[in-house]
Amino acid sequence: MKKGQIIEGIVQRVDFPNKGIVESAEGICMVKNALPGQRVQCAINKVRKGKAEGRLLQVLEPSRLECGSPCPHFGSCGGCTYLSLPYEEQLRIKEAQVKKLLDSVLAGQASNWKFEGIKASPVCFGYRNKMEFSFGDEVKDGPLALGMHKRGSFYDIVSVTDCQIIDEDYRRILRCVKAYFAGLQEQGTAVSFYHRLRHVGYLRHLLVRKAAKTGEILIALVTTSQMPAGMERREAVTAVEGRLTVTDAKMARKQTAAAEEERQLAEAELLNGFRKQLLSLELAGKIVGILHVQNDAVADVVQSDETTILYGQDYFYEELLGLRFKVSVFSFFQTNSLGAEVLYETAREYIADLIGEKAAQTVFDLYSGTGTIAQLMAPVAKKVIGVEIVEEAVAAARNNAALNGLHNCEFIAGDVLKVIDGIEEKPDLIILDPPRDGIHPKALDKIIRYGVEHILYISCKPTSLARDLEVFLARGYKVEKAVAVDQFPWTANVETCVLLTHKKPTSYIEVTMDYDKIVSDQKPRHTTYKMITEYVKEKYNLVVKSTTIADMKRSFGLEVGDYNVKEEKTNYRKEKITPEKRQAVEDALRYFGVIE
């Protein structure tokens, strides 16, 4: 096969996350968005080291497994992958994907491990408790669209007014908002969507969150600050102001202020109409908050430069496994509330099997988000310490722990890599729930150094999990059991829960040693300046000179050998030894056994 070649073949299987393996007369090719059993036509994009990757052109024959999609947007919307398959078949695909990845890593593990298959989501339609819709158009210069990105496109938007992974309340809200802004455009109001290439426009996203248990709904309209009313006039004044007289410049500034006031009034009127339209809807749930979020970032992400409450509050409540959680508009929370209960109940069962009726002493919940797992562990632990990099999520975790009357939970804001060195307590059990990219290698090393007997790893991306498991196995851990949990029906994503145990020796050999003789014969450990500087850099992110290390060694009455002669012959410029550097070097000297 070569680049540009068109081939036809049968999809033999789909590897995680969405890699259809096509077998053709020309060879094997990988394509996205294909289903097992389909006969497809694809164009070869890349051939490297004997492996070919292609782009799906068309499905020539459907798979015998397909039964038709209940969603009219399937195929054009990029949200779902397996919607034309029976749910049971989708579960089999995801189970096989996870098992294949784990087998590839655990093939060399001496002891047996148990794969417990996959657990289904309690509901497979209308399960999402959060959606981020984008404003745009389906074709260039077409009518306003509000929905999801078109499959394979960064710019085109599909109005998913009949989406099946959200419930009817979402669909009614989506139709209402789209109709409102489309109507304004028809009336001549210049309310445009944000163009991702030109970075101009007003409407960006519509964020909707709804609690499965309480039915509370939170809605946020995300826009830029580029409200069109009065913009042309203000920009023209600003452009010529530098060439005006003092008197004319004052007049120009007044005109600019008037234009800004006009803009604010127009925006307030627009947002007031937006609020009224939403509150007039008949919904099964209850709207508890409507927000306006301004975001002028160039990147196509949902974030806030400024948030204004148009109605109600900026949070809602959800319940999981008997606990109540306060969730803000940007807080991380599992997108499938009922599926999250299955995942967390599984994690709780794994831990209960380990500790039985006795309580664990100290539990680390790393990458803790809003503290859901930490709070579920609180009743069976003396203390739970959660670490999360998103400060808003940490604040929510603290509030939720107080809300649930849990006083043995501590939550720390910061990067796991940098924070855990400063935690005085040592864990008896570690729970990991990292983001999709897995754990930073240096953070993983620090986690393993604790040497805890048991680690529970919850992963939302099996390929990242497989990569991290290789490190765990190389450092003395083994996998006891694992299970997949379908948190995201019809999509290519799947969660995995893995229990790791530190390997213990199966037998012991009694050895008698003459300690005095060993000590007298032992040569002193040679520690280089490079070893010390690298240690200080990695652990404390500080750069220290060799002269500093030499001075510190002298302060402890240690010899510095030939380095002292070199220092005397060379005009070294000594650095100031700060308390932080002094402490770091002293720690390194103790670590390498130079001092006690």
Side-chain angles (χ1 to χ4, degrees):
M1 284 184 285
K2 60 182 180 180
K3 186 176 179 180
Q5 184 178 357
I6 307 297
I7 67 168
E8 295 180 7
I10 304 296
V11 182
Q12 299 299 316
R13 69 177 190 276
V14 178
D15 290 341
F16 183 87
N18 187 16
K19 300 177 181 178
I21 308 303
V22 179
E23 185 177 301
S24 69
E26 293 82 1
I28 303 297
C29 174
M30 187 279 289
V31 296
K32 294 182 179 180
N33 302 316
L35 299 175
Q38 288 180 335
R39 182 174 183 82
V40 299
Q41 183 185 69
C42 53
I44 303 301
N45 289 337
K46 182 167 58 175
V47 179
R48 186 177 181 184
K49 296 181 180 180
K51 296 182 179 180
E53 295 181 13
R55 175 172 54 90
L56 181 65
L57 298 178
Q58 61 176 319
V59 177
L60 302 175
E61 294 178 15
S63 168
R64 61 178 180 79
L65 301 173
E66 293 183 85
C67 57
S69 168
C71 179
H73 312 297
F74 179 66
S76 58
C77 167
C80 295
T81 304
Y82 300 119
L83 201 51
S84 62
L85 299 176
Y87 185 56
E88 294 73 17
E89 186 60 36
Q90 177 205 159
L91 291 177
R92 280 193 284 271
I93 291 173
K94 291 185 177 181
E95 179 179 356
Q97 289 175 344
V98 174
K99 181 66 162 56
K100 183 172 182 286
L101 283 168
L102 293 180
D103 279 340
S104 67
V105 177
L106 303 178
Q109 180 172 298
S111 58
N112 294 327
W113 65 285
K114 182 179 181 182
F115 183 61
E116 299 181 334
I118 188 168
K119 295 186 177 183
S121 172
V123 292
C124 55
F125 292 107
Y127 64 86
R128 287 191 65 95
N129 60 34
K130 177 185 177 182
M131 287 294 288
E132 294 177 359
F133 301 111
S134 297
F135 288 93
D137 50 14
E138 294 197 26
V139 294
K140 187 178 180 180
D141 300 325
L144 182 70
L146 175 59
M148 305 295 291
H149 283 275
K150 190 175 183 179
R151 177 173 288 180
S153 173
F154 179 70
Y155 303 105
D156 300 335
I157 301 297
V158 180
S159 290
V160 289
T161 50
D162 295 298
C163 175
Q164 296 300 300
I165 61 174
I166 54 177
D167 70 18
E168 183 59 26
D169 280 354
Y170 283 85
R171 294 190 284 267
R172 290 183 179 180
I173 292 168
L174 179 62
R175 295 184 195 117
C176 170
V177 174
K178 179 190 173 187
Y180 174 67
F181 286 109
L184 290 177
Q185 288 185 341
E186 292 173 2
Q187 295 169 17
T189 303
V191 183
S192 63
F193 65 86
Y194 180 74
H195 292 264
R196 294 167 182 81
L197 268 179
R198 289 183 282 147
H199 308 305
V200 295
Y202 182 67
L203 301 170
R204 296 197 71 160
H205 300 96
L206 176 70
L207 192 154
V208 184
R209 305 190 74 156
K210 179 183 177 183
K213 296 291 185 68
T214 66
E216 294 184 349
I217 301 172
L218 187 63
I219 303 170
L221 176 69
V222 184
T223 74
T224 67
S225 61
Q226 303 175 30
M227 180 63 188
M231 282 293 290
E232 296 83 358
R233 176 177 158 197
R234 183 182 62 187
E235 289 172 352
V237 169
T238 303
V240 301
E241 188 172 346
R243 299 193 299 270
L244 299 178
T245 65
V246 174
T247 302
D248 288 341
K250 289 181 179 179
M251 181 61 69
R253 286 193 290 271
K254 287 182 180 180
Q255 290 175 346
T256 302
E260 178 62 22
E261 184 178 355
E262 180 184 339
R263 185 197 73 81
Q264 291 177 0
L265 289 173
E267 184 175 38
E269 183 179 350
L270 178 145
L271 295 174
N272 186 47
F274 168 75
R275 177 183 61 83
K276 287 182 177 179
Q277 289 291 318
L278 289 174
L279 294 178
S280 67
L281 289 173
E282 292 185 8
L283 304 172
K286 178 185 178 183
I287 296 176
V288 297
I290 301 175
L291 312 177
H292 174 224
V293 177
Q294 281 194 359
N295 173 25
D296 285 320
V298 173
D300 188 29
V301 294
V302 180
Q303 63 183 38
S304 173
D305 296 335
E306 180 182 345
T307 299
T308 304
I309 299 176
L310 304 178
Y311 169 81
Q313 60 204 33
D314 59 354
Y315 61 88
F316 68 99
Y317 287 102
E318 178 62 299
E319 297 174 358
L320 290 180
L321 298 174
L323 296 177
R324 190 171 174 86
F325 296 92
K326 179 181 178 181
V327 184
S328 65
V329 64
F330 292 116
S331 291
F332 171 78
F333 200 80
Q334 291 287 353
T335 54
N336 181 350
S337 296
L338 300 180
E341 289 191 319
V342 174
L343 177 66
Y344 293 144
E345 184 61 42
T346 301
R348 197 156 65 175
E349 289 172 359
Y350 273 24
I351 294 169
D353 290 344
L354 292 176
I355 65 177
E357 297 181 358
K358 65 179 181 179
Q361 291 298 305
T362 302
V363 177
F364 278 10
D365 177 15
L366 304 182
Y367 311 96
S368 57
T370 52
T372 310
I373 297 176
Q375 292 173 70
L376 292 172
M377 282 300 303
V380 295
K382 182 179 179 181
K383 184 175 184 179
V384 183
I385 299 175
V387 179
E388 168 61 43
I389 196 170
V390 181
E391 293 186 3
E392 184 184 10
V394 173
R398 291 167 181 163
N399 291 334
N400 288 329
L403 181 68
N404 291 303
L406 301 172
H407 305 293
N408 61 337
C409 296
E410 178 186 350
F411 296 99
I412 302 171
D415 188 346
V416 169
L417 173 62
K418 300 177 181 178
V419 166
I420 57 176
D421 287 329
I423 302 176
E424 294 183 359
E425 294 90 339
K426 301 302 178 186
D428 303 292
L429 171 70
I430 294 178
I431 301 173
L432 304 170
D433 190 3
R436 293 183 59 80
D437 290 337
I439 304 171
H440 189 285
K442 290 185 178 180
L444 185 58
D445 177 66
K446 292 182 179 183
I447 291 167
I448 292 174
R449 283 185 194 175
Y450 280 115
V452 297
E453 186 174 358
H454 300 293
I455 293 177
L456 184 67
Y457 193 135
I458 299 173
S459 169
C460 58
K461 188 177 180 182
T463 48
S464 298
L465 169 66
R467 182 201 66 211
D468 291 344
L469 285 181
E470 289 183 354
V471 181
F472 277 113
L473 266 61
R475 299 284 292 275
Y477 281 88
K478 65 178 182 178
V479 172
E480 293 284 351
K481 54 184 176 180
V483 64
V485 180
D486 188 25
Q487 281 267 79
F488 319 98
W490 315 118
T491 75
N493 300 311
V494 63
E495 296 264 350
T496 312
C497 191
V498 177
L499 179 63
L500 292 148
T501 302
H502 202 279
K503 291 186 290 188
K504 302 297 180 183
T506 56
S507 61
Y508 299 87
I509 300 174
E510 186 174 344
V511 179
T512 302
M513 297 183 294
D514 186 340
Y515 180 76
D516 292 334
K517 186 176 187 304
I518 292 174
V519 172
S520 62
D521 292 345
Q522 189 178 29
K523 294 182 179 179
R525 183 178 182 182
H526 181 64
T527 302
T528 65
Y529 287 91
K530 182 179 179 182
M531 293 165 61
I532 295 174
T533 55
E534 288 179 349
Y535 177 89
V536 171
K537 175 63 177 176
E538 179 178 344
K539 184 171 182 179
Y540 295 96
N541 197 27
L542 293 174
V543 176
V544 294
K545 294 183 177 180
S546 298
T547 51
T548 299
I549 299 171
D551 287 343
M552 287 289 295
K553 290 179 70 175
R554 290 193 194 96
S555 69
F556 286 102
L558 301 173
E559 295 182 2
V560 294
D562 293 337
Y563 186 85
N564 191 29
V565 176
K566 180 181 178 181
E567 182 185 3
E568 290 176 354
K569 292 181 178 179
T570 309
N571 185 21
Y572 275 97
R573 184 176 182 181
K574 293 186 178 181
E575 65 178 339
K576 182 180 179 181
I577 306 178
T578 63
E580 293 79 7
K581 290 186 177 182
R582 185 179 298 278
Q583 180 182 353
V585 174
E586 183 176 340
D587 177 36
L589 294 174
R590 293 186 191 281
Y591 176 81
F592 289 110
V594 180
I595 61 175
E596 295 181 355

